[in-house]
Amino acid sequence: MSEANNRQVLLVEKPTGKLGPEHFRMVNGGIPEPKDGEALLRLRYLSLDAANRAWMHGATYRAAVEANTVMSGGGIAEVVASKAPGLAPGDIVFGDTGWQDYAAVPAKHLSKMPKLEPMTHLLSVYGIAGLTAYFGLLNVGKPREGETVVVSAAAGSVGSIVGQIAKIKGCRVVGIAGGKDKCHWLTSEFGFDAAVDYKDGGTYKALRSAAPNGIDVYFDNVGGDILEACLPQMNNRGRIACCGAISQYDGVPSAHGPRGVPGLIVVKRLVMQGFIVMDFMDQRDAALADLQSWVASGKLKVQEDVIDGLENAPAALIGLLAGENRGKRMIRV
Ligand SMILES: NC(=O)c1ccc[n+]([C@@H]2O[C@H](COP(=O)([O-])OP(=O)(O)OC[C@H]3O[C@@H](n4cnc5c(N)ncnc54)[C@H](OP(=O)(O)O)[C@@H]3O)[C@@H](O)[C@H]2O)c1
């Protein structure tokens, strides 16, 4: 089979500890024939997501990724052949293509995307990341003007958009991120009011001075110790939007969660709500209209981290989990 056939990255073994390059292997598969109702896709941009690692632990809102299968992942792809009504060669779609050059995917699992430039925005601000930030903050966190919003993994793809939308809504915004440089970047480039470096130790105290009036909305991307540091600083009737738990994804999940949760929730009348972005897809058009107008007016900056080559996907995911990325990390295939 020639190199040009269909490069596929397999997950050869489910990691029991930290994810490493040894868990992946690249092979050459054939180009599949689309069946009735399917489209043959050529992947253009592959999304790298912290959740890719979580899927290896077991079934969640989707099926688990199994060993010795093509690694799952969403991407922006071009239709090259179609046996599905409504899809034609040249159309651009989003779907779970997996980590491979070509995939035959049922049309019912694909979303047709507008043709806009740069195409990468379909994965970042107008993709899952932007919509997760938008719905999670506005529909779950429900910030009001003047309130304090704290977001973790703040320099990542979801977090960097959450913080900016909160600024647009007139909130005081504190980001939590790993390292001095990322923290400086959040305040100097993205207009965050303050940033806390959780790798510097003393997150609880640093948050106290960054959010002296307490926290009204905590957008939680990470769970674990950072959630534990935020909880006691929540104001009465505060809202915690539980978006993800990155601190628990890579390696063996830690045995302790945040301590003292039930008492705090009662006394402070907190609302702690998990959500999945798909819950709000009936409001997608309105959300995209807002995101597009904020990008056009320069109120919302889009940060993308594009890495060339499907062969680099394993290292790029391992690096994302270690905090290498700023903004939305993806692979140009
Ligand atoms: N609920 C939904 O529908 C939905 C949809 C999409 C994504 N998500 C969630 O959104 C969150 C962001 O995911 P993403 O794919 O956009 O990744 P991302 O934020 O672009 O990148 C992950 C970032 O997490 C930080 N991180 C890694 N380990 C950490 C730890 N132990 N403690 C604190 N921070 C850590 C790293 O930055 P530092 O340098 O700052 O450590 C890294 O850059 C995830 O929790 C994901 O599951 C949820």
Side-chain angles (χ1 to χ4, degrees), residues 9-26 53 56 67-68 99 250 311 313-315 318:
V9 180
L10 307 184
L11 178 74
V12 287
E13 191 195 339
K14 288 208 199 192
T16 47
K18 277 205 171 294
L19 184 68
E22 67 279 12
H23 298 114
F24 297 97
R25 181 157 48 93
M26 197 156 188
R53 177 66 184 89
M56 296 173 192
N68 286 313
W99 292 17
D250 198 20
E311 65 282 8
I318 293 162

Side-chain angles (χ1 to χ4, degrees), residues 47-52 54 61 128-129 132-133 152-160 176-179 182 198-199 219-223 226 242-250 274-279 319-329:
S47 177
L48 291 174
D49 300 280
N52 296 156
Y61 53 90
I128 298 292
T132 300
S152 49
S157 63
V158 175
S160 60
I176 303 176
K182 274 191 180 180
Y198 76 92
K199 288 185 176 163
F219 192 104
D220 185 19
N221 280 318
V222 305
I226 294 178
C242 300
C243 177
I246 297 175
S247 69
Q248 311 297 302
Y249 293 171
D250 198 20
F275 71 95
I276 296 294
V277 60
M278 299 306 165
D279 302 343
L320 176 140
L321 295 166
E324 265 177 16
N325 64 306
R326 286 186 188 190
K328 176 68 207 160
R329 179 163 272 200

Side-chain angles (χ1 to χ4, degrees), residues 121-301:
H121 280 20
L122 296 174
L123 278 188
S124 60
V125 65
Y126 306 136
I128 298 292
L131 292 170
T132 300
Y134 184 97
F135 292 128
L137 181 68
L138 300 182
N139 292 20
V140 182
K142 300 191 171 95
R144 289 182 286 265
E145 194 177 341
E147 287 189 328
T148 296
V149 173
V150 172
V151 55
S152 49
S157 63
V158 175
S160 60
I161 298 176
V162 168
Q164 294 185 83
I165 298 177
K167 283 304 302 176
I168 290 168
K169 296 291 174 185
C171 300
R172 175 178 169 77
V173 177
V174 179
I176 303 176
K180 275 197 177 55
D181 287 351
K182 274 191 180 180
C183 287
H184 176 69
W185 180 71
L186 289 173
T187 51
S188 60
E189 294 290 321
F190 282 78
F192 283 50
D193 297 286
V196 167
D197 174 8
Y198 76 92
K199 288 185 176 163
D200 198 25
T203 304
Y204 180 89
K205 257 180 103 179
L207 257 178
R208 262 266 179 265
S209 49
N213 298 326
I215 304 169
D216 299 296
V217 177
Y218 172 46
F219 192 104
D220 185 19
N221 280 318
V222 305
D225 293 341
I226 294 178
L227 174 58
E228 185 166 296
C230 289
L231 263 166
Q233 306 195 41
M234 295 298 299
N235 289 330
N236 285 348
R237 301 193 189 280
R239 286 82 65 202
I240 302 177
C242 300
C243 177
I246 297 175
S247 69
Q248 311 297 302
Y249 293 171
D250 198 20
V252 185
S254 63
H256 83 79
R259 289 159 284 200
V261 176
L264 272 172
I265 290 181
V266 174
V267 174
K268 296 193 170 201
R269 292 84 150 178
L270 301 181
V271 175
M272 198 170 176
Q273 186 185 335
F275 71 95
I276 296 294
V277 60
M278 299 306 165
D279 302 343
F280 302 105
M281 281 305 174
D282 57 331
Q283 300 162 49
R284 183 168 173 260
D285 290 348
L288 287 176
D290 276 347
L291 291 167
Q292 274 162 349
S293 80
W294 293 333
V295 171
S297 66
K299 287 184 186 162
L300 179 56
K301 291 188 187 170

